[in-house]
Amino acid sequence: MRRSAAAAFTLLVLTMSACAARNQAPPEVSASAGPEVGASAAPEGWRWESYGGIEVAVPGSWGWANGSQRLHAWCITRADELARPVVGRPGAVATVGCWVGGSPDPITLVRKTGQLVTFDRTSEPPGVRQEGDQTVVLRDGVMITVNAPQELRQRIVGTIRRVDVDSYGCPVEHPIGLHPQQRPRKPVGVASLRDVASVSACKYEVAGGAGSSSPRLVSSLRLDGSAAAGAVREIAKAPVGGGPDAPQTCLPEVSYGDEAIVLLVRSAAGPTEILLRYDGCDHNGFDDGVSVRTLTAAAVAPLIAGPNVVFNFSGPQEKVPILRPS
């Protein structure tokens, strides 16, 4: 749930602009937008997906979607969406009355939800539940739901593992989670970076969000070689000044939003960080510790692709084409 009470109208407008309407499923993201497999090898043709200190391997052809919507609003999922297996993370859910209950429960059936792996935070104790075509694994405060035919489901569940740093180079926790106002610890102007080798884009919950008591990694991707260098060049092209912002639309204590992305850049300058704030009504921009640059569609696009797709945010209308391009 979004936390900005004062910006309720602004958020509604943004969400409707980005997702057409609350009673429609958000568009799913093409699997081609995903990252390459990092240092840890997944099964051949598969890739790692990371959430909250848990990694799960899935077939490389699977796409991404709003996991909450796909699982709990199954009755409004279109046939073409059902045909696309996806990995999902928490997001807003359309207000619809999909039938639940029965034996087996519809949300446990592939013919209702399609093939999927979804993540969420949980306070339930560790364990495993099975019903219909679904296996739910509860581990280290994370709920992993796998809906798939039995053989494939067993293969996916068998890959679940705990990590401190994921396969894309992202630590499970980062100080920005508890201190969203924090700036990079090693200020280095982005325009001065040379010989960029890689960029890990690590999306974190921030204080007050879904995992506010212990904010963790939400998702991650990694760019290497020319893709990483190109991403850094686009950030350097963005004008200094930050934004787009609309601080009058929310309370200061929630102005940073619920999520932020930390860019871990590896270059001739050594490891450095750039903070990408995009989720709140204020403080948006790329912060390299020297200056804050404005969000632009070109600079943001490769960093919110695939697993880092943005479903919800608050702030001015100008953010819609940047974070939810058509």
Side-chain angles (χ1 to χ4, degrees), residues 103-140:
S103 182
D105 191 308
I107 69 169
T108 71
L109 301 176
V110 168
R111 62 186 174 86
K112 298 293 187 181
T113 68
Q115 297 181 48
L116 55 79
V117 170
T118 67
F119 299 102
D120 208 346
R121 297 293 295 271
T122 182
S123 58
E124 294 185 56
V128 178
R129 298 197 298 262
Q130 300 197 58
E131 182 180 356
D133 303 318
Q134 181 182 93
T135 298
V136 176
V137 178
L138 307 167
R139 182 172 178 183
D140 296 316

mmCIF file of all heavy atoms in Angstrom, residues 103-140:
data_model
loop_
_atom_site.group_PDB
_atom_site.id
_atom_site.type_symbol
_atom_site.label_atom_id
_atom_site.label_comp_id
_atom_site.label_asym_id
_atom_site.label_seq_id
_atom_site.Cartn_x
_atom_site.Cartn_y
_atom_site.Cartn_z
ATOM 1 N N SER A 103 -11.762 -26.589 -3.157
ATOM 2 C CA SER A 103 -10.679 -27.565 -3.165
ATOM 3 C C SER A 103 -10.577 -28.187 -4.560
ATOM 4 O O SER A 103 -11.459 -28.931 -4.983
ATOM 5 C CB SER A 103 -10.946 -28.654 -2.125
ATOM 6 O OG SER A 103 -9.898 -29.585 -2.089
ATOM 7 N N PRO A 104 -9.496 -27.838 -5.280
ATOM 8 C CA PRO A 104 -8.437 -26.921 -4.868
ATOM 9 C C PRO A 104 -8.838 -25.458 -5.083
ATOM 10 O O PRO A 104 -9.717 -25.166 -5.891
ATOM 11 C CB PRO A 104 -7.269 -27.308 -5.798
ATOM 12 C CG PRO A 104 -7.949 -27.805 -7.039
ATOM 13 C CD PRO A 104 -9.209 -28.492 -6.571
ATOM 14 N N ASP A 105 -8.186 -24.558 -4.372
ATOM 15 C CA ASP A 105 -8.419 -23.119 -4.523
ATOM 16 C C ASP A 105 -8.015 -22.699 -5.937
ATOM 17 O O ASP A 105 -6.982 -23.142 -6.441
ATOM 18 C CB ASP A 105 -7.556 -22.370 -3.495
ATOM 19 C CG ASP A 105 -7.931 -20.906 -3.388
ATOM 20 O OD1 ASP A 105 -7.983 -20.230 -4.431
ATOM 21 O OD2 ASP A 105 -8.143 -20.431 -2.253
ATOM 22 N N PRO A 106 -8.813 -21.858 -6.619
ATOM 23 C CA PRO A 106 -8.467 -21.440 -7.983
ATOM 24 C C PRO A 106 -7.072 -20.844 -8.125
ATOM 25 O O PRO A 106 -6.443 -21.012 -9.175
ATOM 26 C CB PRO A 106 -9.550 -20.417 -8.318
ATOM 27 C CG PRO A 106 -10.710 -20.804 -7.477
ATOM 28 C CD PRO A 106 -10.111 -21.324 -6.200
ATOM 29 N N ILE A 107 -6.572 -20.154 -7.092
ATOM 30 C CA ILE A 107 -5.256 -19.521 -7.236
ATOM 31 C C ILE A 107 -4.124 -20.539 -7.233
ATOM 32 O O ILE A 107 -2.965 -20.177 -7.460
ATOM 33 C CB ILE A 107 -4.991 -18.456 -6.152
ATOM 34 C CG1 ILE A 107 -4.814 -19.081 -4.763
ATOM 35 C CG2 ILE A 107 -6.062 -17.394 -6.150
ATOM 36 C CD1 ILE A 107 -4.299 -18.094 -3.729
ATOM 37 N N THR A 108 -4.461 -21.807 -7.011
ATOM 38 C CA THR A 108 -3.437 -22.861 -7.050
ATOM 39 C C THR A 108 -3.415 -23.596 -8.380
ATOM 40 O O THR A 108 -2.646 -24.542 -8.540
ATOM 41 C CB THR A 108 -3.650 -23.883 -5.918
ATOM 42 O OG1 THR A 108 -4.832 -24.669 -6.215
ATOM 43 C CG2 THR A 108 -3.816 -23.196 -4.573
ATOM 44 N N LEU A 109 -4.229 -23.167 -9.333
ATOM 45 C CA LEU A 109 -4.370 -23.894 -10.597
ATOM 46 C C LEU A 109 -3.741 -23.135 -11.753
ATOM 47 O O LEU A 109 -4.032 -21.947 -11.972
ATOM 48 C CB LEU A 109 -5.847 -24.141 -10.893
ATOM 49 C CG LEU A 109 -6.615 -24.945 -9.836
ATOM 50 C CD1 LEU A 109 -8.078 -25.024 -10.208
ATOM 51 C CD2 LEU A 109 -6.004 -26.342 -9.659
ATOM 52 N N VAL A 110 -2.901 -23.803 -12.512
ATOM 53 C CA VAL A 110 -2.238 -23.170 -13.651
ATOM 54 C C VAL A 110 -3.250 -22.673 -14.674
ATOM 55 O O VAL A 110 -3.058 -21.622 -15.290
ATOM 56 C CB VAL A 110 -1.241 -24.150 -14.300
ATOM 57 C CG1 VAL A 110 -0.762 -23.636 -15.652
ATOM 58 C CG2 VAL A 110 -0.042 -24.379 -13.378
ATOM 59 N N ARG A 111 -4.371 -23.375 -14.854
ATOM 60 C CA ARG A 111 -5.347 -22.935 -15.848
ATOM 61 C C ARG A 111 -6.024 -21.631 -15.451
ATOM 62 O O ARG A 111 -6.626 -20.965 -16.295
ATOM 63 C CB ARG A 111 -6.382 -24.027 -16.091
ATOM 64 C CG ARG A 111 -7.224 -24.415 -14.901
ATOM 65 C CD ARG A 111 -8.117 -25.604 -15.227
ATOM 66 N NE ARG A 111 -8.845 -26.094 -14.080
ATOM 67 C CZ ARG A 111 -10.018 -25.610 -13.675
ATOM 68 N NH1 ARG A 111 -10.571 -24.618 -14.340
ATOM 69 N NH2 ARG A 111 -10.625 -26.125 -12.625
ATOM 70 N N LYS A 112 -5.907 -21.244 -14.192
ATOM 71 C CA LYS A 112 -6.473 -19.975 -13.728
ATOM 72 C C LYS A 112 -5.427 -18.856 -13.676
ATOM 73 O O LYS A 112 -5.734 -17.703 -13.972
ATOM 74 C CB LYS A 112 -7.086 -20.141 -12.330
ATOM 75 C CG LYS A 112 -8.228 -21.129 -12.257
ATOM 76 C CD LYS A 112 -9.447 -20.640 -13.014
ATOM 77 C CE LYS A 112 -10.646 -21.557 -12.782
ATOM 78 N NZ LYS A 112 -11.844 -21.121 -13.539
ATOM 79 N N THR A 113 -4.214 -19.192 -13.275
ATOM 80 C CA THR A 113 -3.185 -18.166 -13.057
ATOM 81 C C THR A 113 -2.093 -18.153 -14.102
ATOM 82 O O THR A 113 -1.328 -17.195 -14.189
ATOM 83 C CB THR A 113 -2.510 -18.374 -11.689
ATOM 84 O OG1 THR A 113 -1.745 -19.599 -11.721
ATOM 85 C CG2 THR A 113 -3.525 -18.432 -10.564
ATOM 86 N N GLY A 114 -1.996 -19.230 -14.891
ATOM 87 C CA GLY A 114 -0.840 -19.404 -15.748
ATOM 88 C C GLY A 114 0.347 -19.873 -14.920
ATOM 89 O O GLY A 114 0.280 -19.985 -13.696
ATOM 90 N N GLN A 115 1.449 -20.169 -15.591
ATOM 91 C CA GLN A 115 2.663 -20.580 -14.889
ATOM 92 C C GLN A 115 3.346 -19.338 -14.322
ATOM 93 O O GLN A 115 3.514 -18.334 -15.027
ATOM 94 C CB GLN A 115 3.601 -21.312 -15.843
ATOM 95 C CG GLN A 115 3.029 -22.604 -16.389
ATOM 96 C CD GLN A 115 3.981 -23.329 -17.301
ATOM 97 O OE1 GLN A 115 5.151 -23.512 -16.972
ATOM 98 N NE2 GLN A 115 3.499 -23.742 -18.464
ATOM 99 N N LEU A 116 3.757 -19.416 -13.065
ATOM 100 C CA LEU A 116 4.351 -18.243 -12.428
ATOM 101 C C LEU A 116 5.191 -18.618 -11.219
ATOM 102 O O LEU A 116 5.036 -19.684 -10.630
ATOM 103 C CB LEU A 116 3.261 -17.243 -12.020
ATOM 104 C CG LEU A 116 2.109 -17.725 -11.119
ATOM 105 C CD1 LEU A 116 2.512 -17.807 -9.651
ATOM 106 C CD2 LEU A 116 0.901 -16.817 -11.255
ATOM 107 N N VAL A 117 6.079 -17.691 -10.879
ATOM 108 C CA VAL A 117 6.771 -17.676 -9.594
ATOM 109 C C VAL A 117 6.559 -16.287 -9.025
ATOM 110 O O VAL A 117 6.840 -15.290 -9.702
ATOM 111 C CB VAL A 117 8.284 -17.951 -9.736
ATOM 112 C CG1 VAL A 117 9.011 -17.688 -8.405
ATOM 113 C CG2 VAL A 117 8.541 -19.375 -10.195
ATOM 114 N N THR A 118 6.014 -16.190 -7.818
ATOM 115 C CA THR A 118 5.827 -14.887 -7.192
ATOM 116 C C THR A 118 6.535 -14.837 -5.842
ATOM 117 O O THR A 118 6.705 -15.868 -5.179
ATOM 118 C CB THR A 118 4.342 -14.547 -6.987
ATOM 119 O OG1 THR A 118 3.766 -15.431 -6.019
ATOM 120 C CG2 THR A 118 3.581 -14.619 -8.296
ATOM 121 N N PHE A 119 6.945 -13.628 -5.482
ATOM 122 C CA PHE A 119 7.615 -13.385 -4.201
ATOM 123 C C PHE A 119 6.774 -12.433 -3.357
ATOM 124 O O PHE A 119 6.064 -11.574 -3.892
ATOM 125 C CB PHE A 119 8.979 -12.717 -4.405
ATOM 126 C CG PHE A 119 9.975 -13.506 -5.198
ATOM 127 C CD1 PHE A 119 10.213 -13.204 -6.531
ATOM 128 C CD2 PHE A 119 10.699 -14.533 -4.611
ATOM 129 C CE1 PHE A 119 11.157 -13.896 -7.263
ATOM 130 C CE2 PHE A 119 11.642 -15.244 -5.339
ATOM 131 C CZ PHE A 119 11.874 -14.926 -6.672
ATOM 132 N N ASP A 120 6.910 -12.562 -2.036
ATOM 133 C CA ASP A 120 6.317 -11.584 -1.117
ATOM 134 C C ASP A 120 6.990 -11.742 0.232
ATOM 135 O O ASP A 120 7.622 -12.774 0.507
ATOM 136 C CB ASP A 120 4.808 -11.788 -0.991
ATOM 137 C CG ASP A 120 4.072 -10.494 -0.640
ATOM 138 O OD1 ASP A 120 4.737 -9.515 -0.235
ATOM 139 O OD2 ASP A 120 2.835 -10.467 -0.778
ATOM 140 N N ARG A 121 6.870 -10.725 1.066
ATOM 141 C CA ARG A 121 7.364 -10.834 2.440
ATOM 142 C C ARG A 121 6.319 -11.536 3.289
ATOM 143 O O ARG A 121 5.116 -11.475 3.014
ATOM 144 C CB ARG A 121 7.642 -9.435 3.007
ATOM 145 C CG ARG A 121 8.727 -8.651 2.276
ATOM 146 C CD ARG A 121 10.104 -9.256 2.422
ATOM 147 N NE ARG A 121 10.599 -9.237 3.779
ATOM 148 C CZ ARG A 121 11.288 -8.219 4.311
ATOM 149 N NH1 ARG A 121 11.558 -7.155 3.582
ATOM 150 N NH2 ARG A 121 11.718 -8.262 5.548
ATOM 151 N N THR A 122 6.756 -12.227 4.340
ATOM 152 C CA THR A 122 5.841 -12.943 5.216
ATOM 153 C C THR A 122 6.414 -13.013 6.628
ATOM 154 O O THR A 122 7.640 -12.980 6.820
ATOM 155 C CB THR A 122 5.589 -14.377 4.696
ATOM 156 O OG1 THR A 122 4.647 -15.029 5.549
ATOM 157 C CG2 THR A 122 6.877 -15.195 4.667
ATOM 158 N N SER A 123 5.519 -13.111 7.591
ATOM 159 C CA SER A 123 5.929 -13.332 8.985
ATOM 160 C C SER A 123 5.680 -14.774 9.404
ATOM 161 O O SER A 123 5.903 -15.140 10.560
ATOM 162 C CB SER A 123 5.151 -12.390 9.911
ATOM 163 O OG SER A 123 3.746 -12.605 9.773
ATOM 164 N N GLU A 124 5.227 -15.609 8.457
ATOM 165 C CA GLU A 124 4.960 -17.011 8.769
ATOM 166 C C GLU A 124 6.258 -17.780 8.999
ATOM 167 O O GLU A 124 7.306 -17.443 8.423
ATOM 168 C CB GLU A 124 4.182 -17.665 7.633
ATOM 169 C CG GLU A 124 2.785 -17.118 7.425
ATOM 170 C CD GLU A 124 2.029 -17.899 6.363
ATOM 171 O OE1 GLU A 124 1.920 -19.141 6.519
ATOM 172 O OE2 GLU A 124 1.559 -17.290 5.389
ATOM 173 N N PRO A 125 6.222 -18.823 9.815
ATOM 174 C CA PRO A 125 7.416 -19.630 10.059
ATOM 175 C C PRO A 125 7.795 -20.421 8.807
ATOM 176 O O PRO A 125 6.975 -20.625 7.913
ATOM 177 C CB PRO A 125 6.989 -20.562 11.195
ATOM 178 C CG PRO A 125 5.498 -20.645 11.083
ATOM 179 C CD PRO A 125 5.057 -19.298 10.608
ATOM 180 N N PRO A 126 9.042 -20.878 8.743
ATOM 181 C CA PRO A 126 9.484 -21.658 7.586
ATOM 182 C C PRO A 126 8.615 -22.893 7.368
ATOM 183 O O PRO A 126 8.113 -23.500 8.313
ATOM 184 C CB PRO A 126 10.924 -22.043 7.947
ATOM 185 C CG PRO A 126 11.352 -21.015 8.943
ATOM 186 C CD PRO A 126 10.125 -20.669 9.723
ATOM 187 N N GLY A 127 8.440 -23.245 6.114
ATOM 188 C CA GLY A 127 7.646 -24.425 5.817
ATOM 189 C C GLY A 127 7.335 -24.515 4.335
ATOM 190 O O GLY A 127 7.761 -23.685 3.543
ATOM 191 N N VAL A 128 6.593 -25.542 3.966
ATOM 192 C CA VAL A 128 6.198 -25.778 2.579
ATOM 193 C C VAL A 128 4.730 -26.175 2.563
ATOM 194 O O VAL A 128 4.289 -26.990 3.385
ATOM 195 C CB VAL A 128 7.045 -26.898 1.927
ATOM 196 C CG1 VAL A 128 6.575 -27.154 0.499
ATOM 197 C CG2 VAL A 128 8.521 -26.531 1.945
ATOM 198 N N ARG A 129 3.964 -25.578 1.624
ATOM 199 C CA ARG A 129 2.564 -25.942 1.431
ATOM 200 C C ARG A 129 2.359 -26.353 -0.023
ATOM 201 O O ARG A 129 2.966 -25.770 -0.926
ATOM 202 C CB ARG A 129 1.640 -24.770 1.754
ATOM 203 C CG ARG A 129 1.702 -24.271 3.174
ATOM 204 C CD ARG A 129 0.478 -23.409 3.490
ATOM 205 N NE ARG A 129 0.413 -22.220 2.662
ATOM 206 C CZ ARG A 129 0.829 -21.011 3.045
ATOM 207 N NH1 ARG A 129 1.351 -20.849 4.257
ATOM 208 N NH2 ARG A 129 0.721 -19.973 2.246
ATOM 209 N N GLN A 130 1.499 -27.319 -0.245
ATOM 210 C CA GLN A 130 1.203 -27.752 -1.605
ATOM 211 C C GLN A 130 -0.293 -27.937 -1.774
ATOM 212 O O GLN A 130 -0.965 -28.488 -0.912
ATOM 213 C CB GLN A 130 1.938 -29.053 -1.931
ATOM 214 C CG GLN A 130 3.457 -28.931 -1.821
ATOM 215 C CD GLN A 130 4.178 -30.064 -2.521
ATOM 216 O OE1 GLN A 130 4.002 -30.261 -3.717
ATOM 217 N NE2 GLN A 130 4.982 -30.796 -1.781
ATOM 218 N N GLU A 131 -0.809 -27.459 -2.899
ATOM 219 C CA GLU A 131 -2.214 -27.645 -3.253
ATOM 220 C C GLU A 131 -2.349 -27.441 -4.756
ATOM 221 O O GLU A 131 -1.724 -26.529 -5.318
ATOM 222 C CB GLU A 131 -3.114 -26.656 -2.512
ATOM 223 C CG GLU A 131 -4.591 -26.858 -2.816
ATOM 224 C CD GLU A 131 -5.490 -25.872 -2.089
ATOM 225 O OE1 GLU A 131 -4.981 -25.073 -1.278
ATOM 226 O OE2 GLU A 131 -6.707 -25.892 -2.348
ATOM 227 N N GLY A 132 -3.141 -28.247 -5.405
ATOM 228 C CA GLY A 132 -3.343 -28.102 -6.835
ATOM 229 C C GLY A 132 -2.025 -28.158 -7.587
ATOM 230 O O GLY A 132 -1.229 -29.086 -7.422
ATOM 231 N N ASP A 133 -1.790 -27.130 -8.417
ATOM 232 C CA ASP A 133 -0.538 -27.029 -9.177
ATOM 233 C C ASP A 133 0.456 -26.110 -8.480
ATOM 234 O O ASP A 133 1.393 -25.615 -9.109
ATOM 235 C CB ASP A 133 -0.821 -26.448 -10.575
ATOM 236 C CG ASP A 133 -1.830 -27.255 -11.346
ATOM 237 O OD1 ASP A 133 -1.755 -28.497 -11.302
ATOM 238 O OD2 ASP A 133 -2.709 -26.640 -11.997
ATOM 239 N N GLN A 134 0.273 -25.868 -7.195
ATOM 240 C CA GLN A 134 1.042 -24.841 -6.486
ATOM 241 C C GLN A 134 1.858 -25.400 -5.332
ATOM 242 O O GLN A 134 1.393 -26.236 -4.555
ATOM 243 C CB GLN A 134 0.087 -23.779 -5.935
ATOM 244 C CG GLN A 134 0.741 -22.640 -5.195
ATOM 245 C CD GLN A 134 -0.290 -21.656 -4.650
ATOM 246 O OE1 GLN A 134 -0.724 -21.759 -3.514
ATOM 247 N NE2 GLN A 134 -0.701 -20.710 -5.496
ATOM 248 N N THR A 135 3.109 -24.939 -5.245
ATOM 249 C CA THR A 135 3.945 -25.167 -4.067
ATOM 250 C C THR A 135 4.330 -23.812 -3.507
ATOM 251 O O THR A 135 4.786 -22.929 -4.245
ATOM 252 C CB THR A 135 5.215 -25.951 -4.414
ATOM 253 O OG1 THR A 135 4.854 -27.234 -4.921
ATOM 254 C CG2 THR A 135 6.101 -26.142 -3.181
ATOM 255 N N VAL A 136 4.132 -23.606 -2.209
ATOM 256 C CA VAL A 136 4.511 -22.376 -1.516
ATOM 257 C C VAL A 136 5.629 -22.707 -0.543
ATOM 258 O O VAL A 136 5.473 -23.579 0.312
ATOM 259 C CB VAL A 136 3.322 -21.752 -0.760
ATOM 260 C CG1 VAL A 136 3.770 -20.527 0.032
ATOM 261 C CG2 VAL A 136 2.202 -21.379 -1.725
ATOM 262 N N VAL A 137 6.751 -22.016 -0.700
ATOM 263 C CA VAL A 137 7.893 -22.207 0.184
ATOM 264 C C VAL A 137 8.044 -20.956 1.039
ATOM 265 O O VAL A 137 8.091 -19.834 0.521
ATOM 266 C CB VAL A 137 9.193 -22.467 -0.608
ATOM 267 C CG1 VAL A 137 10.381 -22.608 0.350
ATOM 268 C CG2 VAL A 137 9.040 -23.715 -1.473
ATOM 269 N N LEU A 138 8.104 -21.129 2.364
ATOM 270 C CA LEU A 138 8.288 -20.035 3.316
ATOM 271 C C LEU A 138 9.685 -20.151 3.892
ATOM 272 O O LEU A 138 10.021 -21.157 4.526
ATOM 273 C CB LEU A 138 7.236 -20.119 4.431
ATOM 274 C CG LEU A 138 5.778 -20.210 3.959
ATOM 275 C CD1 LEU A 138 4.869 -20.603 5.105
ATOM 276 C CD2 LEU A 138 5.339 -18.894 3.349
ATOM 277 N N ARG A 139 10.506 -19.121 3.650
ATOM 278 C CA ARG A 139 11.900 -19.211 4.076
ATOM 279 C C ARG A 139 12.466 -17.822 4.357
ATOM 280 O O ARG A 139 12.362 -16.929 3.513
ATOM 281 C CB ARG A 139 12.739 -19.911 3.012
ATOM 282 C CG ARG A 139 14.192 -20.103 3.392
ATOM 283 C CD ARG A 139 14.910 -20.969 2.384
ATOM 284 N NE ARG A 139 16.315 -21.115 2.725
ATOM 285 C CZ ARG A 139 17.207 -21.772 2.001
ATOM 286 N NH1 ARG A 139 16.830 -22.382 0.888
ATOM 287 N NH2 ARG A 139 18.476 -21.858 2.379
ATOM 288 N N ASP A 140 13.042 -17.645 5.539
ATOM 289 C CA ASP A 140 13.737 -16.405 5.893
ATOM 290 C C ASP A 140 12.885 -15.169 5.643
ATOM 291 O O ASP A 140 13.366 -14.153 5.129
ATOM 292 C CB ASP A 140 15.052 -16.298 5.122
ATOM 293 C CG ASP A 140 16.030 -17.392 5.504
ATOM 294 O OD1 ASP A 140 16.170 -17.658 6.712
ATOM 295 O OD2 ASP A 140 16.636 -17.994 4.610
#
